[in-house]
Amino acid sequence: MPVSTGALTRERLFLLLIMRTVFWEDDSLKLIDQRRLPGSLEVAVCRTYGEVSDAIRNMTVRGAPAIGAAAAFGLALAANGSRARSAAYLLADIETAAQTLKASRPTAVNLAWAVDRILRSLGDKVDGRSVDGIRQAVINEAQRIADEDVEINKRMAEHGAALIADGDTIIHHCNTGALAVVDWGTALGVIRTAHGQGKRLHVLVDETRPRLQGARLTAWELQQYGISYEIISDNMSGYFLRSGQVQKVFFGADRIAANGDVANKIGTYMLALAAHDNDVPVYSVAPTSSIDLSLEDGSQIPIEERDPGEVLGLQLNGERVAPEGAKARNPAFDVTPNRLITAIVTENGIVHPPFEVNLKEFIV
Ligand code: MRU
């Protein structure tokens, strides 16, 4: 439910620049409503874990680390909302909420990672524990996950900025900025930090059909940061890569398998293929919480298939483009094979191939 609505005035923009995408306030979870940007800033308030699960599914909150942090606070809401009077019953209620939250979206492993981290922190021993103590422990751990996310993003950005040279033009896919995390950003965080170091950059922002995270959110963020950019439609990247106008490709990750295959927003694979064919380096930037060593390769990563209405809803001149009765497919992610990836930037440093050997060294 929005607490503040309306067009983005200067004051609202300032507020947005200093506020987090996901935060805990007044015993509620507050989320910048990403469905409304760039037109207006609204803060959605979740008071139950069910509302958090809905907000993740309908993409009020989106981006792998952001949905992880939101789910962590979802468990805090579950703990606060439980009527259990004993530690054992409270832990059972938290476990039920954990299953619902994890099932909200399947691809980004950060969701399960954050939920499991909270459950692990509680342990399974109930002897001598008060329900209030457990509730506070869940809130504290969720807050730690959120705070650490900001610090991790800034570390990743410092590592990644070393890859960017003065004068680079970069193609960026989807939205990986402050909106996709708790604050700062993954791939866009790298670009922000490089810009802050005084490097002159230009970003080609691909639209990222069908939800347009690039055209709506990344373009909007770059505008706030004063970084030079132009929007291109997704099918233009091959042209810019082949004509030598691009020096690097950057994107995030929703899940990275043990061999370095990267699941990310649909369209990443085609972009990486075109970059590889033109000897343009391809970088994925992701916290180690996006690495899933339990999966040998990317073929095991579950790919979310969303409502075809997201594809069919496109309008031109105020009219729907697709004919009535048209059908569509809508996989939300694809897997880019490790051979197309030059390096993976994490908070612990830059991982180079062979990823099947090197990735695990970076998880501490
Ligand atoms: O469907 P979305 O918008 O949640 O997908 C997000 C992405 O694919 C991002 O690129 C990814 O989460 C990494 S950026 C933090």
Side-chain angles (χ1 to χ4, degrees):
M1 206 182 313
V3 292
S4 103
T5 58
L8 283 168
T9 60
R10 283 180 76 83
E11 292 70 29
R12 284 178 191 282
L13 286 177
F14 176 71
L15 188 66
L16 190 53
L17 281 175
I18 59 168
M19 80 202 278
R20 290 180 171 190
T21 301
V22 174
F23 59 102
W24 182 256
E25 192 177 69
D26 301 332
D27 287 332
S28 319
L29 172 62
K30 298 195 176 172
L31 304 166
I32 291 177
D33 189 337
Q34 302 198 36
R35 299 166 305 173
R36 302 283 176 250
L37 285 169
S40 66
L41 170 60
E42 301 184 12
V43 176
V45 184
C46 298
R47 295 191 175 83
T48 66
Y49 77 85
E51 288 176 358
V52 178
S53 177
D54 289 345
I56 292 171
R57 208 171 308 115
N58 69 27
M59 294 173 72
T60 301
V61 61
R62 51 145 296 282
I67 64 177
F73 285 119
L75 283 188
L77 290 171
N80 275 357
S82 163
R83 297 200 178 154
R85 299 230 188 119
S86 74
Y89 280 109
L90 178 56
L91 288 178
D93 283 349
I94 292 172
E95 179 62 44
T96 303
Q99 295 315 321
T100 302
L101 286 161
K102 280 203 226 180
S104 309
R105 289 187 79 187
T107 304
V109 71
N110 309 63
L111 184 54
W113 172 87
V115 168
D116 288 340
R117 174 168 154 176
I118 301 244
L119 296 180
R120 258 198 326 276
S121 76
L122 295 177
D124 50 10
K125 294 204 189 65
V126 293
D127 302 346
R129 298 172 71 181
S130 73
V131 288
D132 284 344
I134 293 175
R135 287 188 176 114
Q136 194 55 50
V138 179
I139 296 172
N140 292 348
E141 188 66 9
Q143 191 60 55
R144 263 194 293 276
I145 287 174
D147 293 343
E148 282 173 19
D149 182 67
V150 183
E151 186 256 324
I152 282 170
N153 279 303
K154 293 200 170 154
R155 266 163 56 203
M156 269 189 312
E158 287 292 332
H159 291 303
L163 299 167
I164 295 181
D166 187 39
D168 273 355
T169 292
I170 295 164
I171 295 190
H172 174 275
H173 191 58
C174 194
N175 172 265
T176 68
L179 293 167
V181 298
V182 177
D183 199 0
W184 200 254
T186 59
L188 209 62
V190 167
I191 291 169
R192 281 178 82 174
T193 295
H195 170 75
Q197 292 169 346
K199 292 177 184 164
R200 285 160 302 166
L201 310 171
H202 185 65
V203 185
L204 292 175
V205 175
D206 65 23
E207 284 179 313
T208 319
R209 280 274 293 145
R211 300 277 309 201
L212 300 170
Q213 290 93 330
R216 293 189 304 111
L217 307 174
T218 299
W220 182 81
E221 281 199 48
L222 287 171
Q223 213 159 316
Q224 309 316 308
Y225 311 145
I227 300 175
S228 160
Y229 76 91
E230 291 164 306
I231 297 174
I232 59 172
S233 61
D234 299 337
N235 53 359
M236 293 175 186
S237 45
Y239 164 79
F240 285 106
L241 287 157
R242 187 143 186 80
S243 54
Q245 298 181 60
V246 177
Q247 283 70 49
K248 271 135 211 166
V249 166
F250 271 87
F251 47 78
D254 288 84
R255 194 185 300 224
I256 301 175
N259 71 341
D261 289 352
V262 172
N264 191 52
K265 178 52 53 195
I266 193 76
T268 305
Y269 173 46
M270 287 195 334
L271 175 61
L273 267 177
H276 190 258
D277 195 43
N278 290 286
D279 296 322
V280 173
V282 172
Y283 299 108
S284 171
V285 184
T288 50
S289 55
S290 300
I291 299 172
D292 185 350
L293 291 180
S294 76
L295 303 185
E296 227 170 274
D297 63 51
S299 68
Q300 297 164 313
I301 299 175
I303 299 295
E304 176 183 12
E305 183 114 12
R306 293 184 64 86
D307 181 352
E310 293 181 347
V311 175
L312 295 170
L314 181 71
Q315 295 202 344
L316 206 59
N317 303 325
E319 306 252 346
R320 197 178 107 130
V321 169
E324 278 312 316
K327 291 184 178 163
R329 294 290 303 274
N330 190 15
F333 301 93
D334 58 27
V335 174
T336 299
N338 59 8
R339 69 185 166 83
L340 302 178
I341 296 185
T342 310
I344 296 171
V345 181
T346 74
E347 72 274 26
N348 297 326
I350 300 175
V351 191
H352 294 278
F355 296 117
E356 48 275 66
V357 177
N358 294 340
L359 258 185
K360 49 181 175 296
E361 306 296 328
F362 282 76
I363 300 185
V364 285

